[in-house]
Amino acid sequence: TFQQVADSRATVLVTGESGVGKEVVARALHNLSSRASNPFVAVSCAALPETLLESELFGYEKGAFTGAQGAKAGRFETANTGTLLLDEIGEIPMSVQVKLLRVMQEREFERLGSNKPTRVDVRVVTATNRPLQDAVDQGVFRLDLLYRLQVVEINIPPLRERVEDIEPLANLFLTKYAAENERAAPTIGDAACKLLLAYAWPGNVRELENVMERAVVLSSPNDGELVPRLLPTSLQRAA
């Protein structure tokens, strides 16, 4: 069960399309674990170029490279005793994969510019929206690292395959953004609800959240109900 997985120190790979809520699952794993009061650190591997990614994950010593005027701890050290989420893990270059594999096996690494090992106790959760086996077949991802990362794999289906979640999630986001904008949360009218359920949600939960925030912002204080005109035209056309 999810609780059993959360309670263990097993490495978890969270898979699913972009926007399905992989970070939400990673945070839930952390919050339900014995590490809940310790750090939760998230890194997007796709957002950083290769040179920066290595120093971001493992840290560096003063003078390790041009511009390194002082030592800096990496994300592994920041997440010590807690959980580290490596999002978009399929984008990690081979050179960093080798170092990552060593941390997974030995629980230690060297900062850039240091030959002194740093030991860490970190629970690693990774997330990807691309099939890692395909990356292995293409020769851009190490098979031994994939085995290490997918001790437990949690796949999150796209929103269009869990239609029953659309209305409760929409209500959750309406409440959230109404509170942020200091207004009453509108209820979802029948016509708008039909549109929400008929739409395919290519952007998944992230898209639904954006649509609900937009609806709150566009609604007037007299709008007690979410009506079709508050939804994007793409949703209105899809029905």
Side-chain angles (χ1 to χ4, degrees):
T1 67
F2 193 84
Q3 180 65 63
Q4 283 175 301
V5 173
D7 263 346
S8 71
R9 65 172 298 161
T11 307
V12 179
L13 174 65
V14 186
T15 59
E17 291 179 8
S18 186
V20 289
K22 295 187 286 294
E23 184 168 335
V24 174
V25 170
R27 282 184 182 276
L29 286 168
H30 175 72
N31 292 337
L32 291 170
S33 75
S34 56
R35 297 169 180 260
S37 56
N38 299 337
F40 175 89
V41 177
V43 185
S44 172
C45 300
L48 296 163
E50 183 172 345
T51 45
L52 276 180
L53 181 61
E54 192 171 353
S55 63
E56 190 67 28
L57 291 179
F58 305 111
Y60 53 81
E61 296 297 339
K62 183 179 179 180
F65 50 84
T66 309
Q69 293 169 346
K72 181 176 182 284
R75 299 297 183 94
F76 268 97
E77 284 174 82
T78 313
N80 194 29
T81 70
T83 304
L84 177 64
L85 167 65
L86 299 176
D87 198 5
E88 299 185 78
I89 189 72
E91 309 307 316
I92 280 195
M94 277 288 190
S95 59
V96 181
Q97 288 179 35
V98 175
K99 286 193 85 164
L100 184 56
L101 182 63
R102 185 184 162 208
V103 187
M104 306 295 296
Q105 290 171 331
E106 313 292 336
R107 305 275 169 197
E108 65 177 38
F109 60 90
E110 281 98 33
R111 283 183 177 184
L112 287 179
S114 168
N115 54 13
K116 191 178 109 217
T118 300
R119 289 198 66 78
V120 283
D121 167 24
V122 172
R123 202 260 180 100
V124 176
V125 177
T126 58
T128 181
N129 57 17
R130 64 185 279 203
L132 290 184
Q133 187 59 55
D134 289 358
V136 170
D137 296 343
Q138 291 157 16
V140 294
F141 203 86
R142 295 176 63 104
L143 184 60
D144 49 3
L145 179 58
L146 176 57
Y147 287 147
R148 283 270 169 192
L149 298 180
Q150 65 177 170
V151 175
V152 177
E153 185 171 332
I154 297 174
N155 178 259
I156 309 170
L159 193 54
R160 63 185 172 276
E161 289 178 15
R162 43 191 177 106
V163 178
E164 67 283 358
D165 289 348
I166 292 172
E167 197 175 349
L169 282 170
N171 278 316
L172 184 75
F173 296 136
L174 284 173
T175 304
K176 173 185 172 182
Y177 289 107
E180 281 185 16
N181 290 280
E182 296 180 346
R183 51 180 83 176
T187 56
I188 301 173
D190 290 345
C193 190
K194 275 184 185 146
L195 292 175
L196 296 180
L197 298 178
Y199 184 59
W201 299 106
N204 291 295
V205 179
R206 190 182 296 135
E207 184 183 8
L208 176 61
E209 181 169 6
N210 291 343
V211 167
M212 291 304 104
E213 182 180 14
R214 176 184 183 275
V216 168
V217 170
L218 292 180
S219 64
S220 69
N222 306 325
D223 284 322
E225 193 175 90
L226 179 70
V227 291
R229 68 175 170 78
L230 295 173
L231 298 174
T233 49
S234 55
L235 252 92
Q236 296 180 42
R237 280 200 211 103

